[in-house]
Amino acid sequence: MPLTRSEIEQALSELGKEAQAHGVKVRLLIVGGAAMALRFGARDSTKDIDAVFLEPADAANVRRLASNVAIRMGLPDDWLNDAVKGYIRPPVDETVLFESPGIVATIPSLAQLAALKLSAWRDDIDISDAETILRELKSSGTPRDESWAAIERYLVPGMELKARLAYNELWEQL
């Protein structure tokens, strides 16, 4: 069941309420389709919310809270998952994307989002997302080599060549 932008916001708000009810505050770093939908309006929907659970430190606690939201809203068990945590390279320059009582959701810099999409480069969705991000980087007037240098530091190890080729192809198209 795909999540629309409004459903993402509703689910995050419900997660915040659940966190408050349990005396904690949730802080997430959101990437992937949810970041594209919320930050850029670039997607109608996404199948889940890929996030790094920053607070509370106990990821199992966040999963329990998310499970309660899933039951209440009729969402799949994995509507919120932290499988992406192994792909995030510090330092992370965060910007608040969504805030509600009990929850703060941030996204990493455009360079880091671009690095994740260029490293993945699996399908038309990744390509479209990378294009959206690079278009914004390019429109800010940042030169090609400077943009690449900012992105390169965040690339998933082992994916550097694939990401560089994808970057060059997209930059030329834009």
Side-chain angles (χ1 to χ4, degrees):
M1 173 181 119
L3 296 165
T4 65
R5 178 187 177 119
S6 65
E7 290 168 335
I8 293 167
E9 290 173 341
Q10 181 184 0
L12 291 174
S13 181
E14 289 298 316
L15 183 61
K17 290 175 187 173
E18 190 72 25
Q20 275 192 310
H22 287 85
V24 296
K25 183 160 191 160
V26 171
R27 191 164 70 92
L28 306 172
L29 178 71
I30 294 179
V31 299
M36 296 305 296
L38 294 173
R39 166 65 171 79
F40 299 98
R43 297 246 196 118
D44 292 333
S45 64
T46 186
K47 66 182 174 74
D48 59 8
I49 298 175
D50 299 308
V52 178
F53 304 164
L54 302 172
E55 291 177 22
D58 178 12
N61 192 11
V62 177
R63 285 187 197 93
R64 277 191 297 278
L65 298 173
S67 178
N68 293 343
V69 171
I71 292 166
R72 212 168 41 251
M73 290 184 64
L75 299 173
D77 290 338
D78 63 349
W79 73 271
L80 178 68
N81 73 79
D82 65 343
V84 72
K85 66 183 172 268
Y87 298 102
I88 302 296
R89 298 190 56 200
V92 178
D93 181 19
E94 299 172 69
T95 301
V96 173
L97 182 65
F98 177 88
E99 191 167 9
S100 185
I103 189 169
V104 174
T106 62
I107 59 168
S109 68
L110 291 176
Q112 192 157 21
L113 282 174
L116 290 167
K117 287 300 180 178
L118 292 168
S119 293
W121 203 256
R122 299 166 296 214
D123 53 29
D124 289 344
I125 293 172
D126 286 333
I127 294 167
S128 176
D129 289 349
E131 184 178 341
T132 297
I133 298 163
L134 290 183
R135 183 176 287 114
E136 186 152 328
L137 280 171
K138 193 170 185 177
S139 72
S140 72
T142 307
R144 177 186 187 139
D145 291 341
E146 197 175 308
S147 288
W148 175 249
I151 292 166
E152 188 174 29
R153 66 191 283 203
Y154 295 115
L155 292 174
V156 175
M159 300 297 182
E160 296 89 354
L161 179 59
K162 176 169 85 168
R164 178 63 188 222
L165 294 171
Y167 175 82
N168 287 338
E169 181 181 322
L170 278 180
W171 194 270
E172 289 303 316
Q173 289 176 11
L174 296 173

